[in-house]
Amino acid sequence: MCTNWKRVKIKDVVNVRRGASPRPINNFLSENGISWVKIADATQDNSRFIFSTNEFIKEEGIKNSVVVIPGTLIVSNSATPGLPKIMGITACVHDGWLVFSNYRNILKEFLYYKFIEIRELLLKQANGSVFQNLKTDIIREFEIIIPNLIIQKKIVKILSSLDDKIELNNKINENLHAQAQAIYLEMFNEEINFKEQSCVMSDVFDISIGKTPPRKEQYWFTNNDNDITWLSISDMKSCDVYINSSSEFLTYEAIKKFNVKVVPSNTVILSFKLTVGRVAITNKEMATNEAIAHFVTSNDSIVEYLYFYLKNFNFTKLGSTSSIATAINSKIVKSMPFIMPKQELLNEFHYKVIPYFKMIKRNSEENQKLTQIRDTLLPKLMSGEIEV
């Protein structure tokens, strides 16, 4: 730590209060009104900001909640605790959020990055047998080290410039995805085009299912990216079409010993248990767990069509094989109905959208590199290990 950095308690530099909820909350939920921030709104992407919510509450619920305006820093204290977000909209937050105001000798943006740095330490102090919870006093009393405001501004400038570029690439990719989706709907959503060849998925694709080696032998799983990338459904949550990385890897020994299927690059994958219907395209050789199906094909011109076909598929009509959670099985996946257009139409669609997919892929790869740089720099900058 630099000698001129100060050790302070969070309560010494900012006011902390807890959100609140009108009860019973179901009586106040509405299709319009003021945005109602839930933890799921914060975990659906990696952006620093919350610009939209999936739910709203009625005006009469505001008095029993806490209103946050654009620019407000909030941090989750339950379910997925310790997650910081900056509000991009006016909204209400429930008691699963902590709200920060009245900053003293600390920048809001610096505190945002500080929470990312200290999150693991905070979680060790969280309580709860099922869900971890961060009590307000834990946050208030937690000690952090901070430099002067000049150094804070320099650190924030470095980290936010990386995040700015990541978020810009994400917006570009969202736009590219929407344009390619529009082309798909225009070419294949007309009734005449669906009078092509109707079949099932296994007639067209080599469909395989992933596998999880025994967890009791943890040495099969590594953090070494020289091993085989191993995907779970959570890894598919916020990817932009192409999935580049995961939180875990499998050793080559595990792949061989347990006969884990390794699928090639440019393979469409689909989640079909717990969270049904997440779709992505592999960006390199990968393996997955047993909740993900792989659609392997030698016909490169069908990949983009299959991706949008699955993205637009109504999985609810397949039913569920579980009374506890939404799920279908591999047999149902293989027998899913599939509309196979003529090859000429597939080729036309492929050549129209492949420029969009290539740009999305390039931006996703750049974001992966930028994220690695940011995640390497952040703890060193925030602790004073690297001077700016």
Side-chain angles (χ1 to χ4, degrees):
M1 181 183 77
C2 296
T3 56
N4 60 341
W5 287 42
K6 294 182 179 179
R7 183 174 295 277
V8 297
K9 292 183 177 180
I10 290 178
K11 69 178 183 180
D12 296 332
V13 293
V14 66
N15 291 356
V16 186
R17 68 173 296 189
R18 195 174 179 182
S21 174
R23 302 190 189 282
I25 184 58
N26 288 338
N27 290 350
F28 294 92
L29 293 178
S30 172
E31 293 184 358
N32 49 52
I34 188 168
S35 293
W36 178 241
V37 183
K38 301 184 71 174
I39 305 298
D41 298 312
T43 58
Q44 63 186 3
D45 61 48
N46 296 321
S47 171
R48 291 167 290 176
F49 304 95
I50 293 178
F51 287 111
S52 63
T53 61
N54 295 316
E55 293 184 351
F56 302 85
I57 64 169
K58 301 173 184 177
E59 293 291 330
E60 52 265 37
I62 296 176
K63 63 182 180 180
N64 292 318
S65 185
V66 174
V67 177
V68 289
I69 62 174
T72 303
L73 174 65
I74 61 175
V75 173
S76 58
N77 67 353
S78 63
T80 307
L83 180 64
K85 288 287 179 175
I86 298 174
M87 292 304 303
I89 55 174
T90 298
C92 283
V93 294
H94 55 63
D95 54 10
W97 291 102
L98 298 177
V99 181
F100 297 81
S101 62
N102 191 20
Y103 296 84
R104 304 175 291 277
N105 298 316
I106 191 169
L107 298 175
K108 172 183 61 188
E109 295 80 6
F110 184 87
L111 185 57
Y112 166 85
Y113 287 115
K114 177 59 71 173
F115 272 113
I116 294 178
E117 180 205 4
I118 66 175
R119 187 179 182 194
E120 291 301 318
L121 294 175
L122 286 173
L123 293 182
K124 290 180 180 179
Q125 299 191 30
N127 58 18
S129 58
V130 179
F131 296 105
Q132 289 182 305
N133 294 285
L134 282 172
K135 292 183 178 180
T136 308
D137 284 343
I138 291 177
I139 298 294
R140 286 178 177 150
E141 298 294 329
F142 196 87
E143 290 188 344
I144 58 175
I145 56 169
I146 62 172
N148 61 48
L149 290 173
I150 295 175
I151 300 299
Q152 288 183 40
K153 288 178 181 178
K154 291 180 178 180
I155 292 173
V156 167
K157 184 177 181 180
I158 293 170
L159 296 175
S160 62
S161 65
L162 293 167
D163 275 329
D164 286 344
K165 179 56 177 170
I166 291 170
E167 289 164 10
L168 175 61
N169 282 347
N170 286 336
K171 289 180 180 179
I172 292 172
N173 280 358
E174 287 175 10
N175 183 266
L176 293 168
H177 187 280
Q179 292 183 61
Q181 162 92 343
I183 295 172
Y184 169 83
L185 293 176
E186 179 183 2
M187 291 185 64
F188 298 106
N189 206 34
E190 296 177 8
E191 185 176 350
I192 186 172
N193 286 329
F194 279 94
K195 293 179 179 177
E196 301 285 352
Q197 178 184 346
S198 181
C199 53
V200 297
M201 286 290 182
S202 59
D203 292 336
V204 182
F205 305 99
D206 178 11
I207 300 175
S208 57
I209 309 299
K211 183 182 290 187
T212 302
R215 280 284 183 183
K216 62 182 180 181
E217 301 180 70
Q218 284 294 325
Y219 57 86
W220 300 127
F221 297 86
T222 77
N223 295 317
N224 188 348
D225 58 9
N226 290 322
D227 292 318
I228 293 291
T229 301
W230 184 80
L231 304 174
S232 62
I233 295 178
S234 60
D235 296 313
M236 301 173 67
K237 186 172 185 178
S238 57
C239 66
D240 289 329
V241 180
Y242 291 94
I243 190 159
N244 299 296
S245 61
S246 71
S247 56
E248 291 185 293
F249 301 83
L250 280 184
T251 63
Y252 286 90
E253 183 183 2
I255 294 290
K256 182 177 180 180
K257 179 177 178 65
F258 298 101
N259 195 27
V260 180
K261 179 72 173 181
V262 177
V263 295
S265 174
N266 211 37
T267 297
V268 177
I269 58 176
L270 168 73
S271 65
F272 65 95
K273 293 181 180 179
L274 297 180
T275 303
V276 177
R278 285 183 183 169
V279 187
I281 302 175
T282 59
N283 201 17
K284 57 183 177 182
E285 279 192 339
M286 294 181 175
T288 78
N289 68 13
E290 65 280 0
I292 299 173
H294 328 125
F295 297 76
V296 179
T297 177
S298 59
N299 184 359
D300 289 340
S301 63
I302 202 173
V303 171
E304 297 81 21
Y305 172 79
L306 172 62
Y307 170 84
F308 279 120
Y309 184 90
L310 291 173
K311 289 288 285 187
N312 289 276
F313 192 87
N314 181 10
F315 289 94
T316 58
K317 68 182 182 182
L318 298 177
S320 178
T321 57
S322 172
S323 59
I324 301 174
T326 303
I328 54 178
N329 57 34
S330 58
K331 183 178 180 181
I332 293 175
V333 171
K334 293 177 181 179
S335 62
M336 283 172 54
F338 185 65
I339 306 299
M340 182 65 183
K342 293 179 179 178
Q343 188 61 46
E344 294 83 356
L345 195 59
L346 275 180
N347 290 341
E348 181 184 352
F349 177 69
H350 171 73
Y351 287 117
K352 281 185 176 181
V353 300
I354 195 61
Y356 299 96
F357 276 71
K358 286 182 177 179
M359 291 176 69
I360 291 172
K361 185 177 183 180
R362 184 165 60 246
N363 288 338
S364 296
E365 290 171 344
E366 182 180 37
N367 275 1
Q368 183 183 16
K369 294 176 182 177
L370 292 171
T371 300
Q372 290 172 344
I373 293 171
R374 181 201 61 199
D375 292 348
T376 300
L377 285 177
L378 191 148
K380 296 180 179 180
L381 287 169
M382 298 302 293
S383 65
E385 182 180 340
I386 297 178
E387 292 189 31
V388 294

